[in-house]
């Protein structure tokens, strides 16, 4: 099967057995790979109403047809499951080298089924698959375990691993890889911990077949050439995602003290050039990446090595917690990585706790003596560990900010910054209606990568509420996730602005199937609607209220910074939603209409 | 002419390996590449590139004369002459002479095609004459 490993590996963890099936042709045609495979398997195989922490939930790990090929950034790996954090659809991706290696072993997706009675790890050595006892690895940090597995199995093995946070059932635990890449969102690591799978190591020696080798080589070289000639290449290589930190601070998009503002008065201490000068030691690329955003750092103050911090972590564990020293942020990042915590959700939940403390809703009696003042770095370090081990006050935060605010009450849900139970990533959305709508309607909760529209707000007017703005969000949501479906990074298109049409001849030469971006966006729309149906199926009473942002964004204008005094009115939030639903072909409660489902070939999936 | 590498610029992405196998073997399989990316992680956090310098040690020890210098000064393997003795592998000072019988029934090495250079986004690899050593 050209462009594919050719098989789906199913591991029954309860029985300790596995089987391989051929990757179905129609699945490749309709869902292509990556996030598409994940969405399909989740909807069709995890029964309605399944307990996210129960035996029936599955962790689906998928590559795409570009994974492992000579295509820029062809290292994307998708993790899909029913979310232990939100109870809805979860999909999170990491870069690095795992899916490339998986395809060299002839595998497109791994589906982890059932829960193992004891800790195990999987070793895939081309055709040979072993489920091994992980008693000696359980309880250990992600970095130590990855190092151990690479040393004992061989450097060529690519490893995904969970940390103590996942073992202990923290709802926002990550899957880690390559000493610093994470699939962090929605608790995909949590599920791996529930299944008691400490790690998966893979090595393959096979070639990935392509339909037309010469055309593929030419198309691949043309993509790399475009990247190398792009004007944005050098600055992006220098700073990676931290290139936006200063810009976000200037325009009021840098989350500051639990999103109470979008500009940080000490923001300059966290900017890209400061980080580059103070801590970065090497640039680190995912598979086939000509424009590596990965910055590998050493925080001298702590003698700590860490990949990053990248922008999201700087926002969430830096300015959002009032921390103004890049070395402190790097150390918090290192702790979160080793413990296996999503830095975004961790920063969200700690930021909320700090605001509760500031407002007197929590005191030292509640926090076990921790003084949770904004800027208290040591308290952040302690709390990250307490969350991962669910000890002390950490237990209160381990289920995520939505649950914590429900438990505490006292009006603290006003500033619990999440959508659908997922903590918002690092773009403050005061008076930024496109980005706000992007977060409100994102298919996993408040995450930015499906539709990153903050620059668009600045371009067209941040307070504008118009059908054109809504159409832009929908287009981004249908288009951008296709990179996760194809198995390549979107940042060559986003940041280097290469012509997206360059990917089409490569896809055709690899798979032998000619597709236009119009076709691909239709696949994106199909997946988006399928995921919407999943939320409706799994959440009783799911309606438009689930698409509302944190109340802060329509009730409390920031007191300072670039967006001081600015707010989006609730009335406009609802206007945005009405326009969005109409353009999506959904009803007023955000349910896809029968005509839309028919158009997308999803009628059989209707509830 | 030969291939040069600056490990300090390498980001470990392995695009070069994919490009190498595609040109050398018409296959997408980094384990069939003729250069190496070594990792030194999590500490000290460095990548190390190993490339063919066209030094000719492999040809000098080959008992079947399966490695021949062409008009451009590039040593190339003549597959049908190779008897898989691995003398070249032992002789290569950079560790970039390969025999892996599960993948190919002859030895292989860099033929200076230049595709690795074409895909390297950080200019960690380049081709030049002996006079441009860095």
């Amino acid at each position: 099967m050209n462009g594919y490993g050719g098989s789906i590996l199913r591991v029954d963890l309860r029985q300790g057995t596995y089987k391989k099936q051929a990757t179905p042709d129609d699945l490749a045609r309709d869902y292509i790979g990556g996030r598409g495979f994940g969405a399909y398997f989740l909807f069709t195989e995890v029964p309605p109403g399944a307990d996210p922490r129960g035996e029936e939930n599955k962790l689906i790990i998928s590559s795409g047809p570009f994974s492992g090929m000579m295509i820029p950034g062809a290292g994307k790996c998708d993790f899909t499951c029913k979310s232990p954090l939100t109870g809805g659809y979860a999909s999170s991706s990491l870069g690095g080298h795992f899916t490339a290696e998986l395809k060299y072993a002839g595998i497109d997706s791994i589906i982890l089924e059932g829960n193992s009675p004891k800790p195990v790890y999987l070793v895939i050595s081309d055709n040979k698959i072993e489920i091994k006892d992980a008693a000696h690895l359980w309880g250990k940090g992600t970095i130590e375990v990855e190092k151990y597995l690479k040393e004992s199995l061989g450097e060529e093995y690519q490893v995904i691993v969970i940390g103590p946070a996942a073992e202990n059932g923290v709802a926002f635990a990550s899957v880690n890889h390559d000493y610093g890449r994470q699939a962090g969102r929605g608790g995909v690591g949590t599920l791996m911990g529930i299944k008691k799978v400490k790690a998966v190591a893979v090595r393959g020696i096979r070639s990935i077949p392509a339909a037309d080798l010469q055309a593929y080589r030419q198309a691949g070289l043309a993509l790399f050439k475009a990247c190398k000639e792009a004007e944005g290449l050098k600055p992006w290589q220098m700073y990676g995602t931290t290139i936006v930190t200063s810009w976000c601070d200037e325009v009021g998009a840098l989350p500051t003290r639990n999103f109470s503002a979008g500009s940080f008065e000490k923001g300059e201490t966290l900017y890209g050039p400061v980080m580059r000068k103070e801590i970065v030691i090497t640039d680190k690329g995912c598979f086939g990446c000509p424009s590596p955003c990965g910055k590998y750092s050493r925080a001298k103050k702590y003698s700590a090595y860490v990949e990053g911090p990248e922008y999201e972590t700087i926002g969430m564990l830096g300015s959002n917690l009032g921390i103004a020293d890049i070395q402190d942020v790097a150390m918090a990042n290192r702790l979160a990585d080793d413990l296996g915590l999503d830095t975004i959700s961790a920063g969200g939940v700690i930021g909320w706790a700090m605001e509760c403390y500031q407002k007197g809703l929590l005191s030292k009696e509640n926090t076990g003596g921790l003084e949770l003042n904004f800027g208290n770095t040591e308290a952040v370090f302690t709390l990250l560990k307490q969350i991962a081990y669910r000890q002390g006050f950490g237990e209160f935060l381990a289920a995520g900010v939505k649950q914590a605010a429900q438990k505490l009450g006292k009006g603290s849900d006003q500033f619990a910054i999440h959508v659908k139970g997922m903590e918002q990533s690092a773009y403050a959305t005061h008076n930024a209606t496109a980005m706000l709508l992007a977060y409100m309607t994102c298919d996993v909760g408040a995450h930015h990568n499906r539709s990153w529209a903050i620059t668009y707000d600045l371009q067209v007017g941040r307070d504008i509420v118009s059908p054109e703005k809504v159409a832009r969000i929908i287009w981004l949501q249908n288009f951008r996730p296709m990179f996760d479906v194809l198995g390549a990074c979107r940042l060559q298109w986003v940041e280097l602005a290469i012509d997206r049409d360059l990917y089409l001849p490569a896809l055709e030469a690899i798979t032998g199937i000619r597709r236009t971006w119009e076709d691909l966006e239709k696949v994106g729309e199909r997946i988006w609607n399928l995921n919407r149906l999943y939320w409706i199926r799994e959440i009783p009473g799911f309606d438009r209220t689930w698409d509302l942002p944190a109340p802060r964004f329509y009730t409390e204008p920031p007191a300072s910074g670039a967006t001081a005094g600015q707010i989006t009115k609730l009335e406009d939030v609802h206007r945005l939603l009405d326009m969005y639903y109409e353009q999506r072909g959904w009803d007023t409660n955000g349910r896809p209409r029968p005509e839309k489902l028919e158009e997308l070939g999803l009628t059989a999936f209707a509830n | 002419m030969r291939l040069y590498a600056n490990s300090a610029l390498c980001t470990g992405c392995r695009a070069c390996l994919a490009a190498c196998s595609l040109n050398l073997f018409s296959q997408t399989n980094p384990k069939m590449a003729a250069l190496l990316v070594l990792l030194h992680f999590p500490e000290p956090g460095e990548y190390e590139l190993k490339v063919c310098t066209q030094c000719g040690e492999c040809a000098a020890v080959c008992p079947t004369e399966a490695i021949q210098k062409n008009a451009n000064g590039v040593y190339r393997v003549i597959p049908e002459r190779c008897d898989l003795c691995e003398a070249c592998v032992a002789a290569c000072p950079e560790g970039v002479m390969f025999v892996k019988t599960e993948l190919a029934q002859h030895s292989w090495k860099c033929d200076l095609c230049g595709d690795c250079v074409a895909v390297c986004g950080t200019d960690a690899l380049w081709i030049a004459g002996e006079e441009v050593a860095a």
Side-chain angles (χ1 to χ4, degrees):
Chain A
M1 194 176 186
N2 289 319
Y4 290 83
S7 68
I8 308 290
L9 171 65
R10 290 177 182 275
V11 182
D12 182 337
L13 292 156
R14 194 172 179 185
Q15 303 295 333
T17 59
Y18 68 88
K19 62 182 176 195
K20 277 187 187 174
Q21 66 178 105
T23 303
D25 285 332
D26 55 347
L27 180 69
R29 182 194 65 217
D30 294 342
Y31 293 91
I32 299 178
R35 243 157 64 71
F37 280 14
Y40 177 82
F41 286 128
L42 174 68
F43 197 98
T44 56
E45 295 191 9
V46 176
D51 177 358
R53 291 171 183 260
E55 293 273 352
E56 293 174 325
N57 201 359
K58 299 187 182 188
L59 185 61
I60 304 142
I61 307 166
S62 302
S63 63
F66 280 159
S67 305
M69 304 303 285
M70 191 188 77
I71 297 293
K76 277 285 170 188
C77 176
D78 176 80
F79 293 79
T80 292
C81 64
K82 184 170 187 180
S83 172
L85 177 68
T86 68
Y89 163 77
S91 153
S92 189
S93 74
L94 51 72
H97 302 261
F98 186 79
T99 38
E101 204 62 38
L102 195 63
K103 277 178 70 180
Y104 303 139
I107 297 168
D108 295 309
S109 297
I110 302 174
I111 305 181
L112 299 179
E113 305 179 342
N115 297 341
S116 171
K118 59 173 189 165
V120 294
Y121 68 106
L122 307 184
V123 179
I124 301 168
S125 178
D126 213 56
N127 262 332
K128 190 177 167 196
I129 293 155
E130 294 173 280
I131 303 170
K132 302 178 88 158
D133 189 340
H136 60 304
L137 304 176
W138 204 247
K140 294 195 160 72
T142 64
I143 294 164
E144 181 185 346
V145 172
E146 181 163 7
K147 186 166 181 279
Y148 167 82
L149 289 175
K150 279 180 159 279
E151 282 173 0
S152 58
L153 295 168
E155 185 59 58
E156 282 181 340
Y157 278 81
Q158 297 298 336
V159 177
I160 53 172
V161 57
I162 55 162
E167 294 174 11
N168 297 323
V170 176
F172 45 92
S174 60
V175 180
N176 291 34
H177 163 62
D178 198 24
Y179 304 113
R181 291 273 148 190
Q182 285 83 29
R185 310 250 56 203
V188 295
T190 311
L191 183 58
M192 203 161 138
I194 290 163
K195 294 189 173 301
K196 288 202 166 52
V197 176
K198 181 68 181 175
V200 181
V202 62
R203 173 183 177 270
I205 60 166
R206 294 180 226 191
S207 304
I208 305 167
D212 182 338
L213 283 163
Q214 275 316 309
Y216 150 49
R217 177 173 169 271
Q218 291 303 333
L221 289 174
L223 276 160
F224 279 97
K225 183 167 184 280
C227 292
K228 289 174 70 168
E229 289 173 355
E231 214 173 286
L233 180 70
K234 291 293 172 197
W236 185 258
Q237 284 176 340
M238 180 68 79
Y239 302 116
T241 62
T242 73
I243 205 166
V244 302
T245 314
S246 57
W247 179 85
C248 286
D249 197 16
E250 282 157 25
V251 304
L254 184 67
T256 299
R257 286 183 288 270
N258 196 36
F259 290 86
S260 61
S263 304
F264 184 36
E265 68 283 358
K266 297 173 188 165
E268 285 178 16
T269 59
L270 305 175
Y271 290 179
V274 174
M275 171 169 150
R276 182 88 209 180
K277 183 164 173 278
E278 278 199 33
I279 61 173
V280 175
I281 52 177
T282 190
D283 300 325
K284 190 161 172 283
C286 298
F287 183 81
C289 180
S291 48
C293 61
K295 304 297 154 215
Y296 199 71
S297 301
R298 179 171 178 266
K300 294 184 198 77
K301 191 169 160 185
Y302 301 100
S303 295
Y305 289 82
V306 65
E307 180 175 337
E310 51 83 57
Y311 169 73
E312 294 297 324
T313 302
I314 290 170
M316 297 309 294
L317 293 178
S319 51
N320 200 48
L321 306 183
I323 291 179
D325 181 336
I326 196 68
Q327 299 216 32
D328 292 349
V329 179
M331 185 60 204
N333 191 1
R334 160 76 192 208
L335 281 169
D337 284 4
D338 201 36
L339 295 163
L341 284 168
D342 173 24
T343 56
I344 298 174
S345 284
V349 76
I350 295 174
W352 171 84
M354 285 178 153
E355 184 161 350
C356 289
Y357 190 84
Q358 185 186 50
K359 286 185 153 75
L361 307 180
L362 287 170
S363 67
K364 271 167 78 170
E365 284 70 54
N366 306 112
T367 65
L370 283 176
E371 293 183 7
L372 288 183
N373 301 307
F374 284 108
N376 185 348
T377 302
E378 285 303 323
V380 171
F381 294 168
T382 303
L383 203 43
L384 287 169
K385 292 175 212 160
Q386 286 188 351
I387 290 170
Y389 290 98
R390 296 177 63 166
Q391 291 169 346
F393 185 59
E395 171 63 18
F396 196 80
L397 304 178
V401 77
K402 181 182 175 186
Q403 305 286 338
Q406 276 172 1
K407 271 187 284 181
L408 181 67
K410 304 180 185 178
S412 62
D413 57 344
Q414 163 75 18
F415 52 88
I417 311 299
H418 72 90
V419 179
K420 298 179 181 64
M422 177 181 278
E423 292 76 14
Q424 181 160 326
S425 63
Y427 298 94
T429 40
H430 308 96
N431 191 24
T433 51
M435 195 68 222
L436 189 68
L437 182 64
Y439 276 130
M440 288 159 60
T441 57
C442 174
D443 60 0
V444 292
H447 194 57
H448 60 282
N449 81 336
R450 274 51 161 175
S451 172
W452 189 74
I454 189 81
T455 49
Y456 184 69
D457 275 315
L458 273 289
Q459 190 189 323
V460 301
R462 51 196 306 159
D463 60 339
I464 301 286
V465 173
S466 68
E468 293 75 22
K469 206 172 205 180
V470 170
R472 173 80 179 183
I473 295 303
I474 291 173
W475 175 69
L476 286 169
Q477 288 176 339
N478 291 344
F479 164 55
R480 282 173 53 115
M482 287 313 295
F483 286 97
D484 296 330
V485 169
L486 294 167
C489 184
R490 71 179 66 76
L491 292 177
Q492 283 72 32
W493 173 76
V494 177
E495 302 296 340
L496 306 184
I498 67 168
D499 182 353
R500 68 174 189 160
D501 285 347
L502 289 170
Y503 288 97
L504 297 174
L507 186 61
E508 182 179 350
I510 289 169
T511 62
I513 299 167
R514 176 171 296 186
R515 294 185 192 260
T516 63
W517 272 112
E518 197 182 6
D519 301 333
L520 293 169
E521 285 170 15
K522 191 55 88 179
V523 175
E525 189 183 4
R526 178 180 300 131
I527 295 167
W528 198 266
N529 278 267
L530 183 63
N531 294 338
R532 189 70 180 186
L533 291 176
Y534 190 76
W535 280 97
I536 293 164
R537 191 181 86 178
E538 298 303 318
I539 305 286
F542 185 86
D543 62 13
R544 66 187 287 141
T545 61
W546 283 76
D547 289 330
L548 292 176
R552 165 154 285 167
F553 294 117
Y554 54 83
T555 55
E556 283 181 76
S560 62
T563 52
Q566 298 177 30
I567 202 78
T568 302
K569 290 183 202 140
L570 181 59
E571 173 193 326
D572 283 336
V573 169
H574 281 293
R575 279 177 62 215
L576 284 166
L577 269 187
D578 286 337
M579 287 178 198
Y580 180 87
Y581 293 160
E582 191 189 333
Q583 289 188 33
R584 275 276 181 208
W586 297 356
D587 70 16
T588 54
N589 264 316
R591 292 162 178 266
R593 294 182 190 278
E595 315 79 271
K596 176 52 74 176
L597 295 178
E598 194 180 341
E599 176 196 324
L600 297 169
L602 291 176
T603 303
F605 296 89
N607 300 297
Chain B
M1 303 291 273
R2 54 159 285 206
L3 184 61
Y4 288 92
N6 180 352
S7 292
L9 295 176
C10 177
T11 69
C13 84
R14 303 174 221 229
C16 53
L17 305 185
C20 181
S21 69
L22 187 56
N23 195 308
L24 196 58
F25 285 99
S26 292
Q27 300 203 39
T28 305
N29 188 343
K31 290 175 189 69
M32 302 181 83
L35 70 168
L36 287 173
V37 179
L38 306 177
L39 284 74
H40 304 288
F41 282 84
E43 298 175 17
E46 292 168 2
Y47 295 102
E48 185 182 0
L49 285 164
K50 292 286 188 186
V51 300
C52 174
T53 65
Q54 306 295 339
C55 70
E57 293 287 329
C58 50
V61 299
C62 179
T64 61
E65 298 184 334
I67 303 172
Q68 298 277 334
K69 190 176 189 174
N70 72 8
N72 297 322
V74 177
Y75 289 90
R76 300 183 64 139
V77 174
I78 300 163
E80 53 277 18
R81 285 197 194 169
C82 175
D83 70 354
L84 299 167
C85 75
E86 300 190 28
C88 55
V89 175
C92 179
E94 300 299 321
V96 287
M97 191 73 229
F98 299 89
V99 172
K100 297 180 189 175
T101 51
E102 70 274 29
L103 293 172
Q105 297 310 308
H106 56 83
S107 65
W108 73 82
K109 68 176 292 297
C110 169
D111 66 358
L112 208 63
C113 76
D115 277 11
C116 58
V117 176
V119 298
C120 180
T122 58
D123 300 327
L125 295 164
W126 69 97
I127 290 172
E130 289 294 335
E131 68 280 7
V132 192

